[in-house]
Amino acid sequence: MLTNRREAWNPWAELAQMQREVENLFGRGRSGGLTGGDFPAVNIWVNEDRGLLTAELPGIDPDKLEITVKNNTLTLRGKREAEALREGESWLRRERGEGSFVRSFSLPFQVEADQVEAQFQKGILQLVLPRAEADKPRKIAVRGE
Amino acid sequence: MSAKEMVKKERQSPERAEFQDSAPVYVPEVDIVESDQEFRLVADLPGVDENSVEIDLDKNVLSVSGRFVPQPPEGYSLTYQEYASGNYEREFTLGNTIDRDRIQATVRDGVLRLTLPKAKEAQPKRIAVKAG
């Protein structure tokens, strides 16, 4: 994956491109247009020190959610169980999604995998992804003679 | 999971005007099951808890609404967005057979579960047939 670092850094474009590449890798590429449609839907926020990923995962057992981080790639893996029918019950309406999911995201920086924090509240997963120290931009002091 | 099913549906035309804020209103996805004794309704309302959900039964119209005011994290900028957040609203028309006093509702992990017991007179009865 080559990125021209000399251009002004545009994390949005970079993310979108990496997203497409990762998805094509899994054969789930979308034909352009708006994002969205894959489960779970995510939003990614960044600042200089860290990234923040939120995902809507209503009804997921957080213990069964597998989150892995390697370099700048984050993978979410899990399963959403179907509503179990009790004896004598039949379906009238069935809209809620079910099944296994895997999604990978490329972040615009390397992540300090040991320091990732995950929180699950009200069906929303929030991951804090600290930027690796080695990957942070450094200011070089220029000394005069 | 197919893409078509998983896209969050935004309500197209607000039926009422009391939402003065510009937050979008979403239609939650639901499962509904029926047995002889009751209906069970399960709705996905991510971001909503027991304090922000409202359930009303007016005649035979059951309305479920959830208030969710998204709070963007401070000091971050959004770089990639697949979903937006807002309030939820959906209405269901029920047969006139619900025992209103025994309706139960719980919310956990962004999922609302409603149990709507059928009124006694609406439950099927077995008629004993006697030999003539």
Side-chain angles (χ1 to χ4, degrees):
Chain A
M1 205 177 290
L2 288 172
T3 312
N4 189 347
R5 292 272 175 196
R6 278 168 297 185
E7 281 172 17
W9 185 54
N10 180 350
W12 198 93
E14 213 165 295
L15 265 170
Q17 196 208 332
M18 290 178 178
Q19 178 75 31
R20 276 195 298 276
E21 283 176 21
V22 170
E23 283 182 353
N24 286 337
L25 210 63
F26 290 102
R28 293 184 298 134
R30 287 188 300 265
S31 51
L34 269 172
T35 52
D38 283 325
F39 185 86
V42 305
N43 286 343
I44 300 174
W45 311 70
V46 292
N47 66 19
E48 279 177 22
D49 301 320
R50 53 183 69 87
L52 188 84
L53 180 141
T54 57
E56 292 192 324
L57 288 162
I60 292 277
D61 179 354
D63 293 336
K64 289 184 187 156
L65 195 61
E66 195 187 306
I67 304 158
T68 49
V69 178
K70 197 182 175 196
N71 299 327
N72 66 339
T73 305
L74 170 86
T75 304
L76 289 180
R77 195 185 295 267
K79 195 176 175 199
R80 205 162 105 119
E81 303 286 349
E83 185 64 24
L85 281 191
R86 298 172 194 161
E87 205 177 326
E89 282 184 336
S90 53
W91 291 104
L92 291 187
R93 208 181 268 265
R94 198 172 185 183
E95 299 169 351
R96 299 169 67 236
E98 55 168 285
S100 304
F101 57 86
V102 188
R103 288 200 74 186
S104 290
F105 307 92
S106 293
L107 295 151
F109 48 74
Q110 307 272 312
V111 174
E112 202 70 74
D114 303 341
Q115 288 168 32
V116 172
E117 284 170 44
Q119 228 183 63
F120 187 69
Q121 263 184 343
K122 302 181 198 174
I124 296 176
L125 174 75
Q126 179 176 304
L127 295 177
V128 179
L129 306 152
R131 187 169 183 171
E133 211 44 57
D135 193 51
K136 282 186 186 170
R138 291 201 202 293
K139 273 209 176 105
I140 315 292
V142 180
R143 276 180 296 185
E145 297 266 349
Chain B
M1 290 187 214
S2 82
K4 198 178 157 197
E5 281 173 286
M6 295 320 301
V7 179
K8 219 169 164 182
K9 285 184 215 72
E10 189 175 343
R11 193 179 63 183
Q12 291 307 308
S13 55
E15 285 133 28
R16 276 172 268 153
E18 66 250 40
F19 285 118
Q20 293 300 323
D21 47 50
S22 58
V25 176
Y26 294 94
V27 181
E29 287 175 338
V30 300
D31 285 346
I32 303 176
V33 297
E34 182 184 10
S35 68
D36 287 347
Q37 291 80 39
E38 63 189 23
F39 294 96
R40 284 195 302 123
L41 185 150
V42 185
D44 284 338
L45 300 161
V48 169
D49 63 12
E50 63 277 12
N51 301 314
S52 51
V53 69
E54 226 172 84
I55 298 146
D56 288 305
L57 185 58
D58 184 7
K59 293 206 174 83
N60 61 343
V61 176
L62 175 81
S63 55
V64 173
S65 57
R67 299 285 276 161
F68 181 51
V69 183
Q71 274 161 345
E74 243 173 79
Y76 287 90
S77 53
L78 184 62
T79 59
Y80 179 73
Q81 183 175 24
E82 288 182 343
Y83 71 90
S85 306
N87 299 312
Y88 299 92
E89 210 165 295
R90 190 155 178 187
E91 288 185 347
F92 303 91
T93 305
L94 306 170
N96 214 355
T97 57
I98 301 298
D99 183 348
R100 290 148 187 269
D101 298 331
R102 293 195 297 133
I103 294 176
Q104 287 181 355
T106 56
V107 182
R108 198 184 159 193
D109 293 339
V111 177
L112 168 73
R113 286 172 184 278
L114 267 177
T115 307
L116 306 151
K118 292 183 182 175
K120 278 277 178 289
E121 53 272 28
Q123 290 183 17
K125 288 190 190 75
R126 177 166 287 178
I127 313 293
V129 180
K130 284 179 222 164

